[in-house]
């Protein structure tokens, strides 16, 4: 499903270079639940962005569902992000001017889904994350845990193959964090591939597989 | 992405910044209303002049002393002959001329009892009324007959009659111009300002008498009414030839109404263009305002742009979304500007009811197209900056 072969990501910073990823080779199978851990600056987010087609490897091959995506046009990569990938961020990134429901509708808006179908599917997804009663609330009227659940609903409303979460519980208290993890684990149980970046050992432990990174490289036999 | 969804999305983003939105809409509205109001005034001025010419009589030639386009040295040491009553009679006898009227003019005070009013005094003949399409309100016009005869009849403009006589009947009364006494034979019907004179506020006396009163041997103008509209230039040449023969030199100028009209027209078109040019500057300023607002918006909403890209919005969709915002701002301003301009024109017409000021339809269409273009033109660059944002950097919370 996700296959990286000798992937490098090198940032040019002024005169020098930062090797954020070095010879990363990694395979993640369909339906896996993977935790990505490592010290700050070890390259976890960079790896996640490459997997999510938001960034391109400087060197190496990346195949998503058997397709080499590193070399596709920006247009096609947008479509892959739209249909195959869901993102969840530490800082939620909900649009503050839109209601919870409208935030969940957002990906379908750009996909050109007809309004009735859009509303229907968004409402269903909000129900699945247990927030039907908050549909008309704006983000600033929601708790952190509720916001992250709205963000998860938005990430999965297009029925993607992979859910990529970068420290999804980093801004939540323990109770909300537990709720959020339960929610995405339920989705994983129904076949959604899950990659979660975390600093929290308790969260990492919940995953069936833990990939450790240090200084841009995979550590141990985690690949 | 569906069109209405795009608009709703852009409108939603604008609603998030009401004050900023209102200010940039106002900027465009001022520019557009200036364009609309000023073209309406320019166009109104043009139409006003055209109407005035139509009222003047469309078959009119005007003969004036002196050559306008003096090329080379002035002939005979710059001597130009007077226009005389004999010249007038000769012109009036021309085949293609229906009728003609001499004109001598001076300003003098007309007295009745203890009241006086300083007005233009026009010396002419009976044909003047027909040449200038004047209507008589009461009494008669100047009597026909030999122009050399003179006479002591006077015809009053309606304002003069009212001012001097108030409620009295002026017909048959005696008025004085300097030491000269005149008998009122008629009062003109109200006419209003014409290109040359305010026809309501002048008096007319026989031409020979006028020349004696003013102590002048020369006419101010000779007006010529041409029989056939399509013989204007032929007749003009006839008149020029005749005068050249009589004066032995080309020392008169004959103006056709069309020449005057087209001269006025081009002046007024230039004026309108200048006004529109000025208005366009304010529109350009408004456009820069929109660009500024959109740039601020793009900078502020980096995270949103990054998110939209992460959610699968294509670059052209992001471009369209931000362009739609700029266009909404601009066309919103355009519509508001049209309303504002219409209000300004209405107010203007309220003050000057005779002025035919209304925005030409093309100006309305152009104003809307222009505001749309301003939105696109000044919105493209900020929108492109939005699409060029690297989503990873945009999403990173700093
Ligand atoms: N755009 C960039 N330009 C230059 N260097 C970058 C850029 N993005 C990341 N880096 C560098 O790459 C390295 C890996 O960064 P990354 O964000 O992937 O770390 P991380 O493991 O996610 O850290 P954290 O746990 O703090 O989020 C860091 O040294 C970082 O400074
Ligand atoms: Mg990170």
């Amino acid at each position: 499903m996700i296959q990286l072969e000798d992937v490098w990501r090198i940032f040019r910073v002024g005169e020098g270079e930062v090797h954020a990823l070095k010879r990363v080779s990694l395979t993640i199978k369909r339906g896996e639940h993977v935790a990505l851990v490592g010290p700050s600056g070890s390259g976890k987010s960079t790896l996640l962005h490459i997997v999510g087609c938001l960034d391109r490897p400087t060197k190496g091959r990346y195949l998503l569902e058997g397709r080499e995506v590193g070399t596709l046009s920006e247009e096609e990569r947008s479509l892959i992000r739209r249909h195959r990938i869901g993102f969840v961020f530490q800082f939620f990134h909900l649009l503050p001017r839109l209601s919870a429901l409208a935030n969940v509708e957002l990906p379908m808006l750009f996909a050109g889904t007809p309004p009735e179908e859009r509303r229907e599917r968004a409402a269903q997804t909000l129900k699945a994350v247990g927030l039907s009663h908050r549909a008309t609330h704006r983000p600033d009227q929601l708790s952190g845990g509720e916001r992250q659940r709205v963000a998860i609903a938005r990430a999965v409303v297009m029925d993607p193959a992979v859910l990529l979460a970068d420290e999804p519980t980093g801004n939540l208290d323990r109770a909300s964090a537990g709720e959020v993890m339960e929610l995405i684990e339920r989705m994983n149980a129904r076949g959604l591939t899950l990659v979660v970046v975390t600093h929290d050992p308790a969260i990492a432990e919940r995953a069936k597989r833990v990939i450790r990174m240090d200084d841009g490289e995979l550590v141990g036999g985690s690949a | 992405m569906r069109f209405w969804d795009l608009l709703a999305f852009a409108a939603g983003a604008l609603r998030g910044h009401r004050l900023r939105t209102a200010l940039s809409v106002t900027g465009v509205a001022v520019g557009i209303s200036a364009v609309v109001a000023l073209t309406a005034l320019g166009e109104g001025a043009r139409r006003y002049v055209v109407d005035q010419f139509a009222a003047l009589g469309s078959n009119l030639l005007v003969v004036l002393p002196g050559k306008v386009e003096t090329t080379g040295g002035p002939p005979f040491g710059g001597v130009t002959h007077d226009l005389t009553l004999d010249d007038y009679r000769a012109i009036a006898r021309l085949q293609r001329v229906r009728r003609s009227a001499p004109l001598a003019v001076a300003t003098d005070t007309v007295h009745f009892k203890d009241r006086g009013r300083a007005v233009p005094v026009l010396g002419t003949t009976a044909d003047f009324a027909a040449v200038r399409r004047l209507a008589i309100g009461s009494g008669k016009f100047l009597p026909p007959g030999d122009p050399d005869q003179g006479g002591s009849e006077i015809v009053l403009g309606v304002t003069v009659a009212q001012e001097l006589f108030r409620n009295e009947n002026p017909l048959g009364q005696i008025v004085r111009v300097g030491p000269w006494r005149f008998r009122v034979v008629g009062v003109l019907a109200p006419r209003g300002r014409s290109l040359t004179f305010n026809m309501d506020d002048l008096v007319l006396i026989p031409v020979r008498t006028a020349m004696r009163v003013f102590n002048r041997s020369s006419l101010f103008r000779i007006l010529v009414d041409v029989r056939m509209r399509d013989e204007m230039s032929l007749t003009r040449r006839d008149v020029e030839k005749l005068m050249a023969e009589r004066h032995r030199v080309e020392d008169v100028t004959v103006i056709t109404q069309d020449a005057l009209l087209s001269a006025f027209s081009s002046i007024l078109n230039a004026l309108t263009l200048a006004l529109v040019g000025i208005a366009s500057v304010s529109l350009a300023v408004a456009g820069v305002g929109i660009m500024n607002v959109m740039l601020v918006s793009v900078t502020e909403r980096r995270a949103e742009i990054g998110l939209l890209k992460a959610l699968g919005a294509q670059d052209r969709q992001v471009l369209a979304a931000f362009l739609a915002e700029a266009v909404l701002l601009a066309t919103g301003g355009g519509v508001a500007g049209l309303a504002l301009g219409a209000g300004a024109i209405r107010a203007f017409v309220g003050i000057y009811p005779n002025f035919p000021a209304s925005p030409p339809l093309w100006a309305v269409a152009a104003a809307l197209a222009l505001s749309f273009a301003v939105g696109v033109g000044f919105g493209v660059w900020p929108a492109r900056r939005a699409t060029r944002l690297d989503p990873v950097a945009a999403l990173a919370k700093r």
Side-chain angles (χ1 to χ4, degrees):
Chain A
M1 157 116 242
I2 293 170
Q3 200 180 340
L4 294 112
E5 295 170 6
D6 192 25
V7 164
W8 295 65
R9 181 67 173 98
I10 302 165
F11 292 106
R12 213 164 273 286
V13 180
E15 297 294 290
E17 289 183 342
V18 177
H19 289 67
L21 294 179
K22 297 177 219 167
R23 45 184 164 271
V24 172
S25 293
L26 173 69
T27 305
I28 297 172
K29 287 196 276 295
R30 188 176 300 277
E32 266 197 279
H33 175 183
V34 175
L36 197 53
V37 299
S40 188
S42 57
K44 307 180 295 292
S45 297
T46 306
L47 181 57
L48 205 67
H49 292 144
I50 287 181
V51 170
C53 286
L54 278 176
D55 197 4
R56 295 176 196 256
T58 313
K59 278 192 288 193
R61 267 157 50 94
Y62 167 34
L63 289 90
L64 177 68
E65 299 183 305
R67 233 170 130 199
E68 164 108 52
V69 290
T71 54
L72 291 179
S73 73
E74 213 27 71
E75 195 97 325
E76 288 169 304
R77 286 159 61 85
S78 299
L79 294 180
I80 289 175
R81 290 199 294 268
R82 177 185 298 172
H83 293 289
R84 307 311 295 159
I85 292 164
F87 279 102
V88 176
F89 305 94
Q90 180 180 354
F91 297 100
F92 321 128
H93 285 305
L94 299 175
L95 295 198
R97 61 173 183 273
L98 299 182
S99 68
L101 189 75
N103 265 290
V104 176
E105 280 185 44
L106 212 48
M108 294 185 279
L109 194 72
F110 286 90
T113 312
E116 310 78 49
E117 187 190 337
R118 218 161 60 205
R119 211 141 304 143
E120 168 104 28
R121 270 168 67 184
Q124 267 176 19
T125 316
L126 264 188
K127 193 173 165 199
V129 301
L131 283 178
S132 290
H133 59 298
R134 295 275 185 263
T136 57
H137 290 220
R138 278 187 286 108
D140 57 3
Q141 298 162 325
L142 300 173
S143 74
E146 287 171 330
R147 288 185 211 179
Q148 197 58 301
R149 276 146 69 194
V150 172
I152 290 167
R154 181 183 64 193
V156 300
V157 74
M158 294 295 287
D159 198 17
V162 191
L163 185 68
L164 304 175
D166 197 344
E167 300 183 36
T169 59
N171 260 12
L172 302 179
D173 60 34
R174 190 148 290 280
S176 318
E179 280 176 40
V180 162
M181 286 313 293
E182 263 167 45
L183 185 61
I184 55 180
E185 280 160 12
R186 266 211 320 274
M187 290 168 174
N188 172 245
R190 276 189 270 132
L192 182 67
T193 309
L194 197 57
V195 181
V196 182
V197 171
T198 183
H199 278 291
D200 185 343
I203 303 271
E205 255 169 43
R206 302 169 75 126
K208 297 185 192 76
R209 178 177 164 201
V210 178
I211 298 177
R212 284 177 203 287
M213 294 191 69
D214 192 12
D215 197 18
E217 294 183 272
L218 302 189
V219 192
S222 41
Chain B
M1 193 171 189
R2 292 158 168 258
F3 177 72
W4 290 113
D5 290 340
L6 179 74
L7 278 194
F9 185 80
L14 290 176
R15 234 176 285 128
H17 299 283
R18 280 167 208 276
L19 181 63
R20 198 195 287 169
T21 301
L23 285 177
S24 39
V25 164
T26 308
V28 178
V30 167
I32 290 290
S33 64
V35 169
V36 171
L38 292 178
T39 47
L41 291 190
E43 180 66 16
R46 207 181 58 77
R47 201 156 349 128
Y48 180 74
V49 168
V50 170
D51 290 352
Q52 290 299 337
F53 272 101
L56 216 56
S58 62
N59 289 14
L60 198 69
L61 290 178
V62 180
V63 184
L64 45 147
K67 199 77 192 150
V68 171
E69 60 271 76
T70 337
T71 49
F76 298 97
V79 177
T80 52
H81 295 252
D82 290 342
L83 276 182
T84 63
L85 279 178
D86 287 336
D87 291 334
Y88 150 69
R89 264 190 293 255
I91 289 172
R93 276 196 302 269
L94 281 174
Q95 225 270 306
R96 293 194 176 90
V97 170
R98 190 202 309 272
R99 48 176 101 79
S100 178
L103 195 57
V105 177
T107 297
D108 211 331
T109 306
V110 183
H111 293 278
F112 174 66
K113 294 183 181 162
D114 58 339
R115 287 195 280 270
R117 187 169 178 86
V119 291
V121 178
L122 274 56
T124 186
T125 59
D127 280 340
F128 185 78
V131 172
R132 290 298 311 270
R133 315 269 195 273
L134 291 181
I136 292 294
S138 61
K140 292 203 227 6
F141 198 67
L142 297 173
D146 181 2
D148 267 324
Q149 209 54 43
S152 58
E153 299 86 0
I154 191 166
V155 174
L156 306 181
V158 64
T159 308
V160 182
Q162 273 158 11
E163 290 297 319
L164 291 185
F165 291 92
R166 307 283 154 90
N167 296 323
E168 282 181 65
N169 180 5
L171 294 183
Q173 302 275 18
I174 301 297
V175 297
R176 284 175 290 110
V177 178
W180 307 74
R181 296 161 68 82
F182 292 90
R183 188 168 50 84
V184 178
V185 294
V187 176
L188 295 177
R191 167 71 167 270
R193 173 156 285 284
S194 168
L195 266 183
T196 41
F197 299 105
N198 179 354
M199 285 296 174
D200 294 343
D201 203 10
L202 48 69
V203 299
L204 299 131
I205 58 178
V207 62
R208 170 55 73 200
T209 313
M211 292 168 88
R212 217 173 294 140
V213 171
F214 308 153
N215 194 19
R216 263 180 218 166
S217 56
S218 172
L219 291 172
F220 174 63
R221 298 274 188 274
I222 298 172
L223 306 184
V224 182
D225 192 8
V226 179
R227 274 182 211 282
M228 311 287 280
R229 181 92 177 84
D230 46 9
E231 288 182 354
M232 293 291 285
S233 48
L234 276 179
T235 316
R236 177 183 171 181
R237 240 163 287 141
D238 289 349
V239 172
E240 281 169 347
K241 217 171 100 210
L242 176 72
M243 295 310 290
E245 278 167 17
R246 292 179 59 81
H247 293 178
R248 305 194 185 292
V249 60
E250 292 188 7
D251 64 350
V252 301
T253 302
V254 182
I255 306 171
T256 64
Q257 163 155 249
D258 291 349
L260 263 182
L261 187 57
S262 69
F264 263 108
S265 248
S266 56
I267 289 169
L268 289 167
N269 280 340
L271 181 75
T272 304
L273 279 180
L275 292 177
V276 169
I278 292 165
S280 304
V281 171
S282 69
L283 206 56
V285 170
V288 173
I290 285 190
M291 178 142 61
N292 186 33
V293 161
M294 292 309 298
L295 281 176
V296 169
S297 183
V298 168
T299 311
E300 269 184 5
R301 285 155 64 196
R302 285 165 54 91
E304 173 180 337
I305 296 161
L307 173 81
L308 296 182
K309 289 188 171 190
L311 294 181
Q314 289 161 319
D315 281 357
R316 54 189 162 87
Q317 293 179 317
V318 174
L319 184 83
F322 277 83
L323 211 48
E325 274 183 44
V327 168
L328 274 183
L329 281 180
T331 48
V335 171
L338 279 183
L340 212 64
I345 292 162
R346 184 156 302 177
F348 186 85
V349 171
I351 301 168
Y352 303 99
N354 288 331
F355 197 80
S358 72
L361 205 60
W362 63 262
V364 173
L368 285 178
L370 208 59
S371 62
F372 185 84
V374 163
V376 173
F378 289 92
V380 157
W381 187 51
R384 291 194 68 114
R385 281 180 63 125
T387 65
R388 291 221 193 89
L389 270 185
D390 169 24
V392 172
L395 281 167
K397 198 99 174 185
R398 289 286 138 91

